[in-house]
Amino acid sequence: MDQQDVQKLYCAHHHWMKSLLAGKLQCVDDAADLAQDAFERLLKKDLRFDSLSGGRHYLSRIAHALCIDFWRRRKIEQAYLESLQHLSEPYSADLTQHQIVIDIIVKADRMLCRLPGKIKRTFIAVQIEGLTYNQVAERDNISVASVKNYLAQAILRMTMFREAFDLD
């Protein structure tokens, strides 16, 4: 889409988009931010709509995806803050440092969510839970070779995802 097309969609649907998001999020400020994000996404896409209603339909799909991302991020932020409360020594960091850590966790979560179940489970068991290959193989009733294979697939897929979406 060129800038004029997005501008037409913006004028025609911005208020509707903010209202839609405000209803889903129960927060006008967050809705305004996500509405802006939706139109920014349109600027980055090479799309054509046959009508303004086609654009509105696409915007509603973007709104749904943005809400899911928003809620997932909030859940991650909450879990992160709760985990800090359980540390034996108080952890102090400024807001920027917290946001950097949360951004990294969100990116890792995005990558993990795209892995098939067995591969994801194996990767988490080894890399996060600290289980050995033998422990994972025994727990999941698979061979050690399968554990190694799943880990290799996880690393390959996550690397490809990171490169495709520039998540460095």
Side-chain angles (χ1 to χ4, degrees):
M1 296 191 77
D2 65 17
Q3 204 164 355
Q4 285 182 333
D5 292 336
V6 174
Q7 187 174 7
K8 286 178 191 173
L9 278 173
Y10 186 89
C11 290
H13 300 305
H14 184 258
H15 180 72
W16 165 81
M17 178 66 113
K18 276 188 1 184
S19 297
L20 175 72
L21 289 165
K24 289 179 180 264
L25 301 174
Q26 304 298 309
C27 178
V28 175
D29 291 337
D30 291 334
D33 289 343
L34 289 186
Q36 288 302 118
D37 290 348
F39 286 100
E40 283 180 30
R41 282 188 182 189
L42 279 179
L43 281 170
K44 295 176 183 175
K45 298 274 183 184
D46 186 24
L47 301 171
R48 294 277 173 227
F49 302 111
D50 55 356
S51 66
L52 285 177
S53 65
R56 184 175 181 146
H57 175 72
Y58 188 75
L59 283 169
S60 69
R61 289 179 34 215
I62 291 175
H64 180 72
L66 286 170
C67 286
I68 290 171
D69 290 346
F70 178 84
W71 291 320
R72 176 176 274 143
R73 182 180 180 89
R74 282 284 165 93
K75 198 173 180 181
I76 288 170
E77 286 174 349
Q78 186 64 35
Y80 170 70
L81 294 174
E82 286 174 10
S83 71
L84 293 180
Q85 293 173 355
H86 297 296
L87 294 176
S88 57
E89 295 181 25
Y91 175 76
S92 66
D94 64 21
L95 185 59
T96 303
Q97 290 172 319
H98 282 297
Q99 290 306 313
I100 290 169
V101 170
I102 291 168
D103 286 344
I104 291 168
I105 295 169
V106 166
K107 289 174 183 176
D109 178 62
R110 255 191 251 149
M111 287 189 280
L112 287 171
C113 285
R114 285 171 171 75
L115 294 176
K118 291 178 187 177
I119 294 171
K120 176 180 169 181
R121 182 175 158 94
T122 301
F123 181 83
I124 290 172
V126 172
Q127 297 297 325
I128 297 172
E129 296 172 12
L131 298 180
T132 66
Y133 292 4
N134 288 334
Q135 289 170 323
V136 175
E138 187 175 312
R139 181 193 74 181
D140 294 347
N141 198 26
I142 58 176
S143 67
V144 172
S146 292
V147 172
K148 291 177 182 179
N149 183 19
Y150 292 160
L151 285 174
Q153 287 183 52
I155 292 167
L156 176 65
R157 288 171 185 237
M158 291 174 78
T159 301
M160 289 170 45
F161 176 77
R162 191 183 83 230
E163 289 172 1
F165 293 96
D166 195 29
L167 296 177
D168 290 326

